[in-house]
Amino acid sequence: PDTITYNIVIGKLAKSGTKQNAKKVMKLLMSMEKAALSNEAKAPDIITYTSVLRILEKVDPLQAADVASCYLQRAMSNGEKMQVDRLGLQTLLMALSRSPKFDHAMMASIVWVWMENSNKVEHGVLDSGLCDLVLIAFSKTNDAKTAGKALSFLSERVSRYKEGDKTIILPTVVGFSAALVSLAKANRIDDSLRLLEIMKVLSKNGVPNIKPDDG
């Protein structure tokens, strides 16, 4: 069987979110990955991983994040154009954003920066809603380094915007709020207040979907 055949079977199994089907899907995925070493026609693609993650998120979110992380790490290291559309990337980032592991949040951040700076990614794949997921991933972790990493990720984007980079993608109020959650966990009150002021300034400057709640 080739990739298309595998994808049909995996897609059908993924429609029923049972542990038994999840085990079958993972077994098929491992078979594809092993076969791909000698036959590219059997290599899993973004359609494969989207289906795999769809069922794993129901039965084992942590394993889903592990699978997403492995796929993204491999995609970045092989030097080829990442064959992923917005839906595929959303599925991958959502899997990472549901994990409490700091490493998964870092992977979301690393892959965002890689895709942001890469000429191997289709135009229009990245948007503010997906940027939110990176910051949501950080907000789910309790690692001591989380607040600093989330603030650094956000500050870089804000700085580039202020410097006139019109290509930079900013998160929406959802992403900013997630960053505030990370800061609150670390009791970084001053940073939280500064971030709220930044949101107000950006909103006044016409950045959409970023105005903080009045409360």
Side-chain angles (χ1 to χ4, degrees):
D2 59 9
T3 300
I4 295 175
T5 305
Y6 272 113
N7 284 348
I8 291 172
V9 176
I10 289 174
K12 288 183 177 179
L13 288 170
K15 289 181 180 179
S16 177
T18 64
K19 290 184 178 181
Q20 185 178 9
N21 277 7
K23 288 180 180 179
K24 291 179 180 178
V25 163
M26 283 303 299
K27 188 174 181 179
L28 288 170
L29 176 62
M30 287 187 285
S31 296
M32 292 178 75
E33 290 176 338
K34 184 177 180 180
L37 296 174
S38 58
N39 186 351
E40 188 64 25
K42 297 184 179 183
D45 56 19
I46 189 58
I47 297 174
T48 314
Y49 284 97
T50 299
S51 296
V52 170
L53 293 175
R54 187 177 12 172
I55 186 169
L56 287 181
E57 286 170 356
K58 297 175 184 176
V59 301
D60 192 343
L62 200 56
Q63 186 179 21
D66 283 336
V67 169
S69 183
C70 288
Y71 169 76
L72 289 168
Q73 197 165 23
R74 191 162 56 248
M76 287 187 290
S77 64
N78 67 15
E80 298 177 3
K81 187 168 184 176
M82 185 184 288
Q83 299 296 327
V84 58
D85 56 12
R86 186 194 181 281
L87 179 60
L89 181 60
Q90 180 183 39
T91 303
L92 292 162
L93 290 177
M94 284 187 71
L96 295 174
S97 73
R98 292 189 175 109
S99 168
K101 282 189 174 182
F102 177 73
D103 288 347
H104 290 150
M106 281 303 302
M107 176 54 68
S109 172
I110 290 167
V111 76
W112 180 274
V113 173
W114 182 83
M115 293 186 76
E116 197 175 48
N117 298 323
S118 176
N119 60 1
K120 298 175 182 177
V121 178
E122 294 291 341
H123 176 72
V125 171
L126 303 180
D127 62 30
S128 294
L130 297 185
C131 191
D132 289 343
L133 292 174
V134 177
L135 293 161
I136 290 171
F138 279 119
S139 74
K140 297 293 180 64
T141 76
N142 293 313
D143 191 282
K145 301 183 291 293
T146 296
K149 291 295 184 180
L151 189 58
S152 176
F153 176 84
L154 190 51
S155 297
E156 181 184 349
R157 262 127 218 95
V158 172
S159 295
R160 286 170 59 181
Y161 174 82
K162 289 180 177 178
E163 291 167 1
D165 185 349
K166 301 302 181 184
T167 66
I168 196 66
I169 295 172
L170 293 172
T172 70
V173 66
V174 174
F176 274 89
S177 297
L180 288 169
V181 169
S182 297
L183 293 173
K185 286 182 178 181
N187 201 30
R188 294 174 62 163
I189 306 303
D190 290 342
D191 285 330
S192 298
L193 293 174
R194 279 193 288 269
L195 187 54
L196 283 169
E197 287 303 313
I198 289 172
M199 293 173 69
K200 292 176 183 178
V201 171
L202 291 173
S203 180
K204 288 180 180 178
N205 288 341
V207 178
N209 303 319
I210 211 167
K211 185 178 179 180
D213 295 334
D214 293 335

